[in-house]
Amino acid sequence: MVALLCLGGEVEGASAGLLHAKTFDLANGLKVVLIPDHRVPIATHMLWYRVGSADEEPGKSGLAHFFEHLMFKGTRMNPDDSYARTIARAGGELNAFTSYDYTAYYATVGIENLERVMALEADRMVNLDLSEENVHVEREVIVEERRLRTDNDPEALLHEQVMAALFVNHRYGVPVIGWMHEIRGWTRADALEFYRRWYAPNNAILVVAGDVQLDHLKALVERYYAPLAAVPVTRKRTVEPDPIAERHVIMVDPRAGRPLLMQLFLAPAYGAPDKHRTAATEVLAELLGGGPSSVLYRRLVRDLGLAAEIHLDYSPSAVDPTPFALVAVPAPGVTPSTLERGIETEIERLRGDGMAEADMRRAQQALRAAGLRARDGTYRAALVFGSGLVTGATMEEIEAWPELIEAVTLDQVRDEARALLRPEASATGVLVSRREEH
Amino acid sequence: MHQVRRSRTHLLAIVPFLIGLSASAAPAIEIKHLDAAGVRAWLVESGQLPIVVLDFAFRGAGSSADPSGREGLARFGAQMLLEGAGDLDAITFQERLSEIGAVLIFTADRDSLVGHLEVASEHWESALDLLRLALTQPRFDTDAVERVRRSRAVELARLDADPGHVARRLWWRSVFPNHPYGRDPDGSPGDVAAISAADLRMAFMPRLTRAGLLVGAAGAITAQQLAADLNRLVTDLPSGAGEPTLPEAIFVPGPLQVARLPFPQSACVFGQPGVSPRSADYLPALILNHIVGGGTLVSRLFLEMREKRGLVYSIRTTLETLPGADLVVGRFATENAKVRAAIDLVKSEWQRAQSGDVTDEEIVDAKNYLKGSFPVSLDGTAAIAARLLAVQRLGLGVEYIMGWEAMVDAVGFDAIRATAKRAIVPQILTFAVAGNPEEL
């Protein structure tokens, strides 16, 4: 490892929003963000890599997440469970997570332990020491994790199948945890190849939130991260063809406790060319299914009694066009297809002139409040900044998010409804315990 | 800010908040005590963000107080409190909440009805007005009752097919066969079908009393203003008759119970009686729990079952405290073929801990964890409010926050080993499994 430190060459900036985050870049390409929060003498150190399950080679599904687990297996300098043990001794909290587009590692510790965490995190970016035994045992852990999250849960199995139907050419159609038969095939060589290809300072973003001064952070980063060498990293993503057919998935699973309906549409993302549409799409999601006063809830649960529950999931923190997901539980005695027709009618109305200004204003208010809550505490603030930056949002966009939401107009939301909620750009899944219930 | 379904998967399970201290270090926060019409409240003022968070619990209003034949009433009622109050029907009430961007959530556990209000400080007064209406003048309109009934019914149907839930239900029922703690807080389909507006008015609302109320608050609000606002909030609540009472729950150990479900993985819950937060054994027990199965990646159970053998994705044990019972409860899930082996490992770790085989190094590490995790547990306004309520719910005083480090330091090594011998009882460790375990 060659020490090529050049803090002098950084571009430094501070954004003006609520959290006053500051940022600078190292010569080796690592981007660093500081979010000051001096309430409690703690800090969250969160390192984000621009690699997720959508970057895996065909046949190796789940490898990104598997590798995330393997990052806790030690280095020559800090062998075995040194990382976990050090943070436990400090009373810190730690975890890591993998999505389609990113992998992140974090620890929240008392401020006196920030340096130790950084030393460990920088060390394992390049010095991981993996044994065959590590790989073998951890693969079994992932098998149990997949059973827990997915194979033991028919609703999760349906989600996998509908995602696979929505994406006809993109790896978002493959589950983050991986298909069971491919999980069984991972090897130590696969893991090491993945490591060498993706783990490098120029492919990472460090977010530190907490009771830290910028000068102190710079000194620490200079010491631990600046010596790491940049490695060329190229990310290739396939592009979805224009969608031309509605897809319907029917899953019959006698273990399902209740029927479920799931409808996915393709929506804009921070990393995609249609990034400017994400704010209006967030408002649309909130307006449609953000809670008990949302339009679909009011109509389908309250007025018509067709659904027992309905909500919408959408996050623009993705590199490529991403799902806009409607999930509904039919009311007792209502078939999924009856509910589906009810939703269709309501969506037609909204694509027409059925959208009200008051509904949009409420949605904007709810989002702004949620945005405020999402910045509460060092962990949450680091999550907001990291997940935005790592998928393509800018510092300014993240700080100005409340204003971007506020500026959305009814016409824009209506346009999004028309652009997004097209049957030919959707995949619909139904879970029933017997085929005739559909 | 929605989270897309299962778009992320974690190294560790994200465990919902559990009562149980894991705290330390001289806190950089100041806790203020308020008294509002006889209701005690703890506040930490914090202006980092313009928000206020109010966490509160009505002790004695949880599912243990549900009348026979109306099990699930508390959880039903918790949901009903958001379905209209005073002059506001359900939709108007919900619209008012979302117009000010307030989050108001009610849940019920075995002991308490628990509430959480989180709102931008500019809308605090309006949010409090809505909360006061919900707590004092809920409408229980017929259409709203039926809507919540449908929602509860589909939730019960889902839980019936969830091995984790079925194992928990089986465990509680088997260890408390003669006590309300043995019942499922979600209730049964038959009981939920029978719950009426009259039940809500007569058997649920009267439990929300001033005497039972505990409050933890944090955020951009002064003690003076909060005291005045709380006064307004609680003044129309029934005063209640002091501490709610419940018979002490007798833990009945028993042989392993199995609920057969056609899934590839079995969920397992295990546990035994625990230690009262008021007992001298409590801190030693917290330290032991950290060593044996606390939530880190280096607990004995985590190392033996996940790191060495790949048997489970997660395993942890926690001390749980209810007014009528103290418990140590753990859970894990593993492939049907490996349940037997996993249970044997848990038993052998229980034996090892009971023998007093705990090293000085383990104790020092555990103490350091408990001390260091205290400031970490105060990460944000919502986290602070939650912690203030949790300590009160354990029946502990503010010294458990402000004097935490010294209290942990003061626990002797021998006291910990003595507690292990006394409090850990492998013979009564009771297991429940849901799934299709082999050889059981």
Side-chain angles (χ1 to χ4, degrees):
Chain A
M1 163 174 63
V2 183
L4 255 182
L5 165 61
C6 182
L7 267 177
E10 77 206 27
V11 182
E12 189 180 313
S15 51
L18 198 56
L19 292 176
H20 313 292
K22 300 177 174 73
T23 181
F24 58 94
D25 297 323
L26 298 189
N28 63 13
L30 180 73
K31 184 178 188 63
V32 184
V33 176
L34 170 64
I35 308 161
D37 179 341
H38 302 292
R39 265 189 289 195
V40 185
I42 59 172
T44 291
H45 179 289
M46 199 178 273
L47 187 63
W48 297 75
Y49 291 95
R50 292 185 194 88
V51 61
S53 65
D55 300 301
E56 294 155 354
E57 293 295 322
K60 300 291 178 191
S61 65
L63 192 59
H65 168 246
F66 180 48
F67 189 75
E68 173 225 295
H69 280 229
L70 294 176
M71 279 285 274
F72 290 82
K73 299 302 179 189
T75 66
R76 277 178 300 282
M77 285 216 326
N78 297 291
D80 304 323
D81 56 10
S82 295
Y83 182 94
R85 204 164 281 282
T86 302
I87 294 183
R89 280 181 179 137
E93 216 161 88
L94 68 81
N95 212 333
F97 46 85
T98 306
S99 86
Y100 300 103
D101 296 308
Y102 52 76
T103 311
Y105 302 83
Y106 75 86
T108 304
V109 291
I111 198 67
E112 67 280 8
N113 287 299
L114 175 63
E115 179 168 1
R116 188 76 189 108
V117 170
M118 191 182 288
L120 288 164
E121 200 63 80
D123 179 37
R124 69 179 180 175
M125 185 188 286
V126 292
N127 294 322
L128 192 66
D129 186 21
L130 273 186
S131 70
E132 286 289 352
E133 174 74 3
N134 291 151
V135 170
H136 170 74
V137 172
E138 203 61 32
R139 208 167 46 209
E140 293 306 307
V141 171
I142 305 270
V143 165
E144 292 302 338
E145 184 179 355
R146 189 190 147 87
R147 288 196 183 108
L148 183 75
R149 291 180 189 281
T150 312
D151 298 324
N152 257 32
D153 181 354
E155 296 185 2
L157 288 168
L158 175 73
H159 181 250
E160 265 186 3
Q161 296 296 317
V162 184
M163 284 290 282
L166 180 69
F167 292 98
V168 302
N169 194 41
H170 193 283
R171 293 286 291 185
Y172 287 170
V174 176
V176 173
I177 191 128
W179 301 115
M180 190 66 102
H181 66 285
E182 293 187 352
I183 290 174
R184 304 240 187 238
W186 297 328
T187 65
R188 178 171 176 271
D190 291 334
L192 291 177
E193 190 194 329
F194 188 87
Y195 186 41
R196 283 191 290 267
R197 179 162 170 198
W198 298 105
Y199 280 65
N202 47 307
N203 201 37
I205 299 169
L206 171 64
V207 183
V208 174
D211 190 15
V212 189
Q213 303 296 336
L214 184 63
D215 287 347
H216 179 57
L217 179 63
K218 280 183 179 172
L220 291 180
V221 166
E222 181 173 341
R223 178 154 177 209
Y224 295 103
Y225 285 111
L228 308 180
V231 174
V233 176
T234 44
R235 177 183 240 175
K236 285 184 193 155
R237 289 286 176 90
T238 47
V239 176
E240 281 289 295
D242 284 338
I244 55 169
E246 339 181 1
R247 281 137 281 170
H248 282 257
V249 173
I250 298 170
M251 195 169 118
V252 182
D253 188 330
R255 303 171 307 175
R258 63 183 189 188
L260 190 74
L261 176 69
M262 198 178 283
Q263 205 156 23
L264 307 185
F265 302 87
L266 274 179
Y270 284 150
D274 53 8
K275 170 186 182 175
H276 59 280
R277 293 171 45 201
T278 56
T281 307
E282 285 190 88
V283 174
L284 176 65
E286 183 68 28
L287 176 150
L288 288 178
S293 67
S294 66
V295 172
L296 290 180
Y297 187 95
R298 236 163 37 202
R299 190 78 187 131
L300 293 153
V301 178
R302 216 177 280 276
D303 296 347
L304 300 173
L306 291 177
E309 304 287 348
I310 192 163
H311 71 272
L312 246 148
D313 271 335
Y314 166 69
S315 166
S317 294
V319 168
D320 295 310
T322 191
F324 185 89
L326 194 164
V327 181
V329 182
V334 176
T335 64
S337 48
T338 305
L339 173 57
E340 194 183 336
R341 279 196 300 279
I343 291 171
E344 212 174 280
T345 307
E346 193 55 22
I347 284 179
E348 264 321 301
R349 194 181 69 78
L350 292 164
R351 280 163 52 95
D353 291 322
M355 210 176 272
E357 178 86 21
D359 290 330
M360 184 192 66
R361 290 284 157 221
R362 254 197 331 275
Q364 286 168 313
Q365 182 61 35
L367 281 175
R368 285 199 326 162
L372 201 54
R373 288 193 301 278
R375 287 154 172 76
D376 181 27
T378 67
Y379 164 73
R380 290 192 197 173
L383 198 61
V384 167
F385 272 81
S387 63
L389 289 171
V390 80
T391 50
T394 64
M395 292 284 291
E396 294 70 30
E397 287 163 345
I398 295 165
E399 288 270 21
W401 184 82
E403 289 90 63
L404 293 175
I405 292 295
E406 199 57 32
V408 169
T409 65
L410 189 61
D411 281 343
Q412 287 173 324
V413 181
R414 201 176 283 133
D415 287 348
E416 282 313 320
R418 288 171 185 158
L420 270 179
L421 304 173
R422 292 177 294 137
E424 70 273 22
S426 74
T428 302
V430 163
L431 172 68
V432 286
S433 58
R434 290 176 304 133
R435 201 172 196 302
E436 52 276 21
E437 285 167 5
H438 171 235
Chain B
M1 303 241 117
H2 300 277
Q3 174 145 351
V4 175
R5 241 179 109 80
R6 293 168 226 284
S7 68
R8 280 209 293 251
T9 180
H10 286 72
L11 175 77
L12 286 173
I14 302 288
V15 180
F17 182 75
L18 294 163
I19 295 182
L21 279 169
S22 53
S24 153
I29 58 165
E30 186 195 350
I31 300 171
K32 296 186 173 157
H33 291 253
L34 319 175
D35 189 304
V39 173
R40 281 179 310 148
W42 293 4
L43 166 70
V44 169
E45 289 183 40
S46 165
Q48 171 89 9
L49 283 180
I51 60 174
V52 181
V53 181
L54 189 74
D55 276 318
F56 53 96
F58 288 98
R59 287 167 302 162
S63 63
S64 310
D66 290 348
S68 171
R70 296 292 184 274
E71 289 170 26
L73 178 63
R75 290 207 167 158
F76 200 113
Q79 219 167 319
M80 283 307 303
L81 292 180
L82 295 172
E83 292 286 336
D87 295 336
L88 311 177
D89 65 8
I91 183 65
T92 315
F93 186 88
Q94 289 291 350
E95 284 178 359
R96 291 278 169 88
L97 273 178
S98 69
E99 275 156 15
I100 58 172
V103 168
L104 178 59
I105 298 165
F106 292 104
T107 53
D109 56 29
R110 283 184 168 78
D111 170 51
S112 298
L113 177 87
V114 182
H116 173 80
L117 172 65
E118 200 164 339
V119 66
S121 32
E122 57 179 318
H123 297 302
W124 161 252
E125 296 282 339
S126 317
L128 209 69
D129 286 341
L130 289 168
L131 173 58
R132 186 172 48 81
L133 272 187
L135 293 177
T136 55
Q137 301 171 48
R139 290 163 63 103
F140 303 141
D141 291 334
T142 307
D143 64 326
V145 172
E146 293 313 313
R147 189 164 53 244
V148 168
R149 195 190 312 287
R150 289 195 291 273
S151 161
R152 297 304 306 155
V154 297
E155 176 65 1
L156 284 176
R158 186 187 70 81
L159 293 173
D160 268 348
D162 171 359
H165 181 85
V166 172
R168 268 194 302 282
R169 186 167 63 191
L170 183 60
W171 187 83
W172 283 87
R173 191 188 297 149
S174 71
V175 302
F176 293 120
N178 305 311
H179 192 277
Y181 288 164
R183 308 185 315 204
D184 185 352
D186 286 297
S188 67
D191 283 10
V192 167
I195 287 170
S196 67
D199 293 325
L200 292 162
R201 286 201 187 89
M202 309 302 292
F204 173 66
M205 289 310 293
R207 304 183 206 164
L208 310 186
T209 68
R210 288 206 297 268
L213 181 58
L214 298 173
V215 178
I221 188 167
T222 65
Q224 199 181 6
Q225 162 145 30
L226 181 64
D229 291 339
L230 285 180
N231 246 309
R232 220 157 32 91
L233 178 70
V234 304
T235 190
D236 291 336
L237 290 173
S239 60
E243 292 281 315
T245 54
L246 197 70
E248 194 187 334
I250 309 298
F251 184 99
V252 181
L256 180 139
Q257 308 262 328
V258 179
R260 292 282 160 190
L261 287 175
F263 288 98
Q265 187 186 59
S266 293
C268 180
V269 176
F270 59 95
Q272 64 147 76
V275 173
S276 163
R278 292 188 182 86
S279 133
D281 278 331
Y282 189 64
L283 278 177
L286 272 182
I287 290 166
L288 286 165
N289 182 63
H290 175 83
I291 292 168
V292 173
T296 68
L297 282 76
V298 293
S299 76
R300 288 177 173 185
L301 285 171
F302 194 92
L303 289 177
E304 291 300 320
M305 294 179 65
R306 174 163 153 165
E307 293 303 292
K308 288 189 188 163
R309 296 177 178 83
L311 281 175
V312 300
Y313 166 64
S314 86
I315 177 159
R316 69 181 287 155
T317 56
T318 45
L319 301 191
E320 292 196 22
T321 295
L322 290 162
D326 300 293
L327 298 163
V328 187
V329 184
R331 52 180 177 271
F332 65 84
T334 192
E335 179 185 1
N336 288 325
K338 297 174 179 165
V339 179
R340 176 89 266 165
I343 286 176
D344 287 345
L345 273 170
V346 172
K347 285 180 177 167
S348 81
E349 284 306 320
W350 230 251
Q351 290 280 359
R352 180 179 161 206
Q354 195 265 343
S355 75
D357 172 14
V358 181
T359 68
D360 289 357
E361 190 193 4
E362 284 177 304
I363 292 173
V364 169
D365 281 357
K367 287 179 154 195
N368 284 338
Y369 173 86
L370 290 175
K371 289 188 287 181
S373 68
F374 175 66
V376 171
S377 74
L378 302 176
D379 189 11
T381 317
I384 293 170
R387 175 51 46 117
L388 296 182
L389 179 63
V391 173
Q392 293 179 80
R393 290 194 67 190
L394 289 174
L396 299 172
V398 74
E399 69 279 5
Y400 255 77
I401 296 179
M402 306 311 278
W404 178 249
E405 185 161 0
M407 292 172 75
V408 173
D409 275 334
V411 181
F413 288 42
D414 290 341
I416 292 166
R417 294 188 183 103
T419 299
K421 288 180 181 159
R422 216 174 18 246
I424 298 176
V425 191
Q427 296 77 13
I428 59 171
L429 187 62
T430 299
F431 291 80
V433 175
N436 197 17
E438 294 171 15
E439 303 168 50
L440 286 178

